[in-house]
Amino acid sequence: MAGDPLDDLYDRPGFMIRRAHQIAVSVFLAQTDDLGITTTQYGILVVLRHRPRIDQITVARLLGLDRSTTGMVIRTLEEGGLVARVVDPADKRRRSLELTQAGSDLLDRLAAPAERAVAQLLAPLDPAERPVFLALLRKLTGAFDATSRVPLAKGEGGPAPSSEAI
Amino acid sequence: MAGDPLDDLYDRPGFMIRRAHQIAVSVFLAQTDDLGITTTQYGILVVLRHRPRIDQITVARLLGLDRSTTGMVIRTLEEGGLVARVVDPADKRRRSLELTQAGSDLLDRLAAPAERAVAQLLAPLDPAERPVFLALLRKLTGAFDATSRVPLAKGEGGPAPSSEAI
DNA sequence: TCATAATAATCAGACGTCTGATGATTTGTC
DNA sequence: GACAAATCATCAGACGTCTGATTATTATGA
């Protein structure tokens, strides 16, 4: 078992991150099994709840996703009756997005399974290790928000998120 | 900026892990740009170097990948002349896999870019933070090796990885 | 005003990822 | 030896992901 040359591969950050992603998706799907939704769809629903009448390019930027990917997933959500999409009369390039009642209801029902998924994912770490891990993960990913090929634009497209800092 | 309800989403482990994966793949592709290979293909080439004449189901288990995924990627590698695939005469169900000379050469040329990708990925963390992050990531992912839907079978299919620990 | 950006959306193409089903081959058991 | 079970590979189908090109619409500036 010791000295396997593949251990070098297993210890690479990229390999472990791929594995962590695979596990996180799998755990989420297992916890939400009967609700038939994916992690990407869930993220879009959450954005739509907090940014009603947003367009899909802005959704993509808020999630750090590609425009094509986002458009495709949103079409799936629309076909499933979870999202309503209408051409913005003020700017006919845009399609104004909004959760339907079914989408909002589903999001409510997802809250508990999503929390269980987080708990299950972090369960292998000691309680004291969890904030350390998450802080380092936040530091690493946050450093690439502006520079990666698919940048992430937090706080965009919103109803002026409290421009007064009090 | 403060108090954005989307911050709750951005702080979720699953969201940050997805983002980390996206960044890791992007950094790898940028560093190896002219060599035209993906992270998945790279992992398979590494396995093949250390496990010659392996079959593709075992490759899948060693990488924690799906059998179909692995078969598809290996076909791409075969079409690119990087991997040779022949029916095992002793067991006609199996296709014995091996790196070609071109595959081996490419793997040699990938060593430096792959190392640069690791360095770039971890650059946002302080040097002292990096082993902490990687140890926690290893602990989290390792806990799911046996239980996830796509388990990872380290140390399988090899030439008895030095059963003597010296 | 009118030609030129810039922007939102979509499409084409490529790759990765999983599930579930099917066919071919080997192994195990009686 | 023959039937059942396990195993390797592939296919069909669905979803996610990105790049690059194209179309429709709006904004900009000389």
Side-chain angles (χ1 to χ4, degrees):
Chain A
M1 198 70 65
D4 190 329
L6 288 182
D7 286 345
D8 181 57
L9 177 65
Y10 292 142
D11 270 351
R12 283 174 187 270
F15 185 88
M16 290 193 287
I17 288 172
R18 175 193 70 79
R19 188 75 182 143
H21 180 234
Q22 182 187 42
I23 291 164
V25 170
S26 177
V27 164
F28 182 90
L29 289 178
Q31 289 290 351
T32 65
D33 199 36
D34 44 348
L35 295 175
I37 203 156
T38 67
T39 53
T40 305
Q41 292 169 5
Y42 176 69
I44 291 177
L45 293 181
V46 171
V47 167
L48 258 41
R49 163 157 291 174
H50 296 296
R51 297 281 197 282
R53 291 175 304 288
I54 202 175
D55 66 283
Q56 66 190 47
I57 295 279
T58 309
V59 172
R61 277 198 285 257
L62 283 170
L63 291 173
L65 288 175
D66 179 81
R67 313 94 207 139
S68 297
T69 301
T70 309
M72 192 257 263
V73 178
I74 287 177
R75 189 188 323 148
T76 303
L77 292 171
E78 185 189 27
E79 288 165 3
L82 302 175
V83 167
R85 185 160 60 152
V86 298
V87 174
D88 184 340
D91 184 343
K92 296 201 232 10
R93 292 173 302 184
R94 302 188 172 202
R95 277 115 186 83
S96 181
L97 304 171
E98 208 156 11
L99 284 185
T100 63
Q101 188 61 48
S104 186
D105 290 349
L106 177 61
L107 200 45
D108 290 340
R109 263 177 290 140
L110 281 167
E115 278 314 305
R116 285 200 304 271
V118 169
Q120 186 182 352
L121 181 64
L122 298 181
L125 301 182
D126 298 334
E129 291 173 332
R130 292 168 200 164
V132 176
F133 175 67
L134 295 178
L136 293 174
L137 192 52
R138 191 178 303 115
K139 185 174 183 179
L140 190 154
T141 58
F144 290 92
D145 277 357
T147 64
S148 79
R149 289 187 179 186
V150 182
L152 196 161
K154 292 181 182 176
E156 186 178 305
S162 65
S163 51
E164 283 303 316
I166 303 293
Chain B
M1 197 73 61
D4 190 328
L6 288 183
D7 286 343
D8 181 55
L9 177 64
Y10 292 142
D11 270 350
R12 282 176 188 268
F15 185 89
M16 291 194 285
I17 288 171
R18 175 193 69 81
R19 187 76 182 143
H21 180 234
Q22 181 186 43
I23 291 165
V25 170
S26 177
V27 164
F28 182 90
L29 289 178
Q31 290 289 350
T32 66
D33 199 35
D34 44 349
L35 296 175
I37 203 156
T38 68
T39 53
T40 305
Q41 293 169 4
Y42 176 69
I44 291 177
L45 293 182
V46 170
V47 167
L48 260 39
R49 163 157 291 173
H50 296 296
R51 296 282 196 282
R53 290 176 304 288
I54 203 175
D55 66 282
Q56 67 190 45
I57 295 278
T58 310
V59 172
R61 277 198 285 256
L62 283 170
L63 291 173
L65 288 175
D66 180 80
R67 315 93 205 138
S68 297
T69 301
T70 309
M72 193 256 263
V73 177
I74 287 176
R75 188 187 326 146
T76 303
L77 292 172
E78 185 190 26
E79 288 166 3
L82 301 175
V83 168
R85 184 161 60 153
V86 297
V87 174
D88 184 338
D91 184 343
K92 297 203 232 8
R93 289 172 304 183
R94 301 188 173 202
R95 278 112 185 85
S96 180
L97 304 171
E98 206 156 11
L99 285 185
T100 62
Q101 187 61 47
S104 187
D105 291 348
L106 178 60
L107 200 45
D108 291 338
R109 264 178 289 141
L110 281 167
E115 278 314 305
R116 286 201 302 272
V118 170
Q120 185 182 351
L121 181 64
L122 298 180
L125 301 183
D126 298 334
E129 291 172 332
R130 292 168 201 165
V132 176
F133 174 67
L134 295 178
L136 293 173
L137 192 52
R138 192 178 303 115
K139 185 174 185 180
L140 189 154
T141 57
F144 290 92
D145 277 357
T147 63
S148 79
R149 289 189 178 184
V150 182
L152 197 161
K154 292 182 183 175
E156 186 178 306
S162 63
S163 50
E164 282 304 315
I166 303 290

